[in-house]
Amino acid sequence: MNETKKDPMIPDGEVNPIDTDYTVGQDNIVMSVGPFGLDIHNRVFAVSAGLIIAFVVLTVAFQNSVEPVFSNLLDWLKSNLDWFFILSGNIFVIVCLVLAFTPLGRVRIGGTEAKPDYSYAAWFSMLFAAGMGIGLMFYGVSEPLGHYMSSVGGTAIENGVRTDWAPLGGAGGNPAAAQDLAMAATIYHWALHPWAIYGILALGLAIFSFNKGLPLTMRSVFYPLFGERIWGWPGHIIDTLAVLATMFGLATSLGFGSSQAAAGLHYLFGFPINDTMQIILIVGITGLALFSVVAGLDAGVKRLSELNMLLALILLLFVVAVGPTLTIFKSLGTNLVSYLEHLPELSNPFGREDKNYSQGWTTFYWAWWISWSPFVGMFVARVSRGRTVREFIVSVLIVPSLACMTWMTVFGNTAISQVIKDKYMAATEGEVPLQIFLMLEQLPLTTITSFIAIILVVVFFVTSSDSGSLVIDAIAAGGKVESPVPQRVFWASFEGLVAVALVLGGGLVALQAMAVSTGFPFTIVLLVSTVAVIKGLMNEPRAPKKFKSN
């Protein structure tokens, strides 16, 4: 990586900075608790930490009675707000495209003469890494396979209401059409829309930090709308919502990861699959995350991320080599065409008949991605200095989308091919966390590849917890990036505790319920932020047209 040694907060060339008397950390409380130092925002930390602690305590205390609460909450949110989430996702895509293909696309992050901190190769690899996670492991087989089985089964109507889970109108009795529809419906959840959600927030964080000179925290994006009031309660509320959304989005992913790791250990070694096993895994892996937190960014999460990228690539190439290789390569093209063909229908927010798909899948996904957006957005912002808005938007939308599409194609089409050509049905009948292991069972070296899959889940768990605690801590410390390690230990610990509480309080339903319920208010925050981002870009100087990035 060609990292520059210059302070990234000092712009190069022309910018239009915001003149404010606010200094990073001026509202913080600096204190010592025994041997540990703390540097926390007096209101954001207190409110968000208090709410999270109260949630954990109450959920664990009333674990036998909260499951129906989570279930009813999830059902209400999905059935009443599906149109809102789907429409919001479309808005984020449209705004990104408008920014990329108008003169605003020539604004350069970090100033008109700023040069990228990373080469294209290094930058693309980091964008790719940001697109990989527990979700791809958890849903890489189960989602394409689930959509295929529901699509080929056709539609089912009871009392005038569709009860099937097929996307759109399904493809009853037509395996080829069902496969195309299943992959299009899967890629829709992993391509342009989620990356537009991440991209619009990452762009706002980058512009208001590197160009406007404000702290790298959520509230800074809203300065064009609220002015100096962002340092008061409007900003406190925005940052608190960002902390809560990130915490529950991460906890959802950690819950998925623990269930998949438990399924893998059951598959390989016969360990039981129950709440106790999941909790043991969450506690153990959170302990590894804490070790990574204490070790520091370079020694911890950076090395783990590099290890995980290597393992993921090895597993991907292995499946391509020993699986249905020709089918996979052919499907890369046909899946992209199917995705573009079905995109208008899949993204339609109104009058949908495929309620189970649009509410049960899309609504959850959009809320989950939105709850992850402060986490991914801050990471992407920090590595994107020196890029124009145009190359930023195009790259953030296209590169990770292609990476996710490739992953889903390799694992999804392999699983579907096993059903169509080999009549192998075990994966379709297995529990969702177990399906990737059942798919690998049909390939050589099953024990080794399954063990690699478990390691991938565990390391994704650790890196997500480590990086997530860094982002949450930066927000709860008033924008301070370098804050005492005990604070990150606190947040990493509570990511694990929230995941434990959700597992005890209803498992998968509870995880989804909290992702959707925290994603809803933060969707409103993101929609408002798009206006602020556009206003912020409109008065920024634009880079010379002939400037070339490395």
Side-chain angles (χ1 to χ4, degrees):
M1 296 181 185
N2 298 325
E3 297 185 49
T4 62
K5 295 182 179 180
K6 185 177 182 294
D7 183 352
M9 303 308 293
I10 299 175
D12 292 306
E14 296 179 49
V15 293
N16 188 16
I18 290 173
D19 184 17
T20 177
D21 294 330
Y22 182 84
T23 57
V24 177
Q26 73 175 39
D27 294 326
N28 284 18
I29 297 174
V30 181
M31 59 186 292
S32 295
V33 180
F36 304 113
L38 296 178
D39 189 351
I40 55 177
H41 191 280
N42 58 356
R43 292 175 178 83
V44 174
F45 183 92
V47 174
S48 55
L51 289 172
I52 290 166
I53 292 171
F55 172 84
V56 171
V57 171
L58 291 174
T59 302
V60 173
F62 300 100
Q63 58 183 275
N64 295 325
S65 55
V66 293
E67 183 173 358
V69 174
F70 286 127
S71 179
N72 292 335
L73 176 64
L74 182 61
D75 289 343
W76 187 89
L77 289 167
K78 290 193 302 184
S79 60
N80 290 279
L81 297 175
D82 56 330
W83 65 270
F84 173 75
F85 282 108
I86 295 173
L87 180 62
S88 298
N90 295 342
I91 290 172
F92 296 132
V93 173
I94 292 169
V95 170
C96 282
L97 295 176
V98 168
L99 291 178
F101 297 105
T102 61
L104 294 178
R106 296 206 335 265
V107 173
R108 188 173 295 276
I109 299 170
T112 55
E113 301 298 326
K115 294 184 178 180
D117 291 343
Y118 301 93
S119 66
Y120 270 125
W123 188 47
F124 285 161
S125 70
M126 285 186 282
L127 294 180
F128 178 78
M132 301 291 287
I134 291 172
L136 285 175
M137 293 296 297
F138 193 83
Y139 286 115
V141 169
S142 64
E143 184 176 1
L145 195 57
H147 292 333
Y148 169 76
M149 295 302 294
S150 59
S151 295
V152 79
T155 59
I157 299 177
E158 294 181 12
N159 299 321
V161 178
R162 274 184 61 176
T163 57
D164 62 274
W165 283 77
L168 303 178
N174 188 335
Q179 181 171 218
D180 290 343
L181 178 58
M183 295 310 303
T186 298
I187 294 169
Y188 169 57
H189 292 148
W190 292 87
L192 292 178
H193 283 73
W195 286 99
I197 292 168
Y198 296 152
I200 196 69
L201 181 55
L203 178 62
L205 289 167
I207 290 294
F208 284 93
S209 177
F210 296 130
N211 294 55
K212 305 294 187 182
L214 299 182
L216 186 63
T217 187
M218 276 299 305
R219 69 176 71 203
S220 297
V221 179
F222 292 82
Y223 195 95
L225 302 179
F226 296 110
E228 291 293 311
R229 286 177 294 170
I230 67 166
W231 313 125
W233 274 107
H236 302 339
I237 292 171
I238 290 167
D239 280 351
T240 299
L241 286 173
V243 169
L244 295 176
T246 305
M247 174 62 74
F248 285 103
L250 283 167
T252 299
S253 298
L254 302 186
F256 286 163
S258 68
S259 67
Q260 189 160 47
L265 291 173
H266 171 76
Y267 175 78
L268 284 180
F269 307 113
F271 286 100
I273 299 180
N274 51 38
D275 288 350
T276 302
M277 189 64 197
Q278 278 190 249
I279 291 169
I280 291 172
L281 284 168
I282 291 172
V283 172
I285 301 173
T286 300
L288 293 176
L290 292 175
F291 178 80
S292 178
V293 165
V294 174
L297 184 63
D298 288 337
V301 68
K302 182 179 178 182
R303 292 179 182 176
L304 286 172
S305 296
E306 291 170 351
L307 168 66
N308 234 30
M309 288 301 299
L310 178 61
L311 288 176
L313 183 60
I314 290 172
L315 185 61
L316 183 81
L317 293 177
F318 175 81
V319 175
V320 171
V322 304
T325 307
L326 293 178
T327 297
I328 290 171
F329 281 115
K330 179 183 176 183
S331 298
L332 285 170
T334 57
N335 289 348
L336 178 59
V337 171
S338 296
Y339 165 62
L340 295 174
E341 177 186 339
H342 290 100
L343 182 59
E345 293 177 279
L346 291 168
S347 58
N348 173 29
F350 304 113
R352 297 287 289 267
E353 294 184 357
D354 55 343
K355 294 292 186 182
N356 282 333
Y357 171 80
S358 61
Q359 295 177 0
W361 284 97
T362 306
T363 300
F364 162 68
Y365 265 126
W366 277 200
W368 191 20
W369 299 147
I370 287 166
S371 67
W372 265 69
S373 60
F375 168 38
V376 179
M378 195 169 291
F379 170 78
V380 172
R382 290 174 70 176
V383 301
S384 298
R385 186 181 184 277
R387 304 294 174 187
T388 65
V389 169
R390 180 168 296 122
E391 66 182 321
F392 173 88
I393 291 293
V394 171
S395 299
V396 168
L397 287 187
I398 300 302
V399 174
S401 292
L402 291 176
C404 292
M405 187 192 79
T406 301
W407 184 276
M408 288 297 184
T409 296
V410 171
F411 287 85
N413 281 104
T414 297
I416 293 172
S417 176
Q418 291 175 351
V419 172
I420 296 175
K421 296 181 179 179
D422 304 333
K423 309 303 179 184
Y424 175 72
M425 304 299 293
T428 67
E429 297 164 357
E431 295 291 330
V432 169
L434 191 60
Q435 288 180 340
I436 188 171
F437 302 104
L438 295 173
M439 182 275 287
L440 292 172
E441 185 177 69
Q442 287 297 99
L443 304 178
L445 305 176
T446 301
T447 301
I448 295 174
T449 55
S450 296
F451 190 68
I452 289 175
I454 295 173
I455 293 175
L456 276 169
V457 171
V458 170
V459 181
F460 274 134
F461 192 138
V462 172
T463 54
S464 296
S465 182
D466 189 334
S467 303
S469 64
L470 175 66
V471 169
I472 293 174
D473 184 44
I475 298 171
K480 281 193 173 182
V481 177
E482 300 295 334
S483 54
V485 171
Q487 291 172 207
R488 288 177 63 192
V489 170
F490 170 85
W491 291 115
S493 300
F494 267 87
E495 286 162 18
L497 288 173
V498 170
V500 168
L502 291 172
V503 167
L504 291 174
L508 183 61
V509 170
L511 294 167
Q512 292 180 328
M514 290 313 300
V516 176
S517 58
T518 54
F520 169 59
F522 204 70
T523 305
I524 299 173
V525 171
L526 279 189
L527 287 170
V528 177
S529 77
T530 60
V531 179
V533 171
I534 293 170
K535 290 190 69 172
L537 287 171
M538 288 180 70
N539 61 15
E540 273 297 302
R542 291 157 197 174
K545 290 184 179 180
K546 294 184 180 180
F547 185 93
K548 292 184 179 180
S549 302
N550 65 332

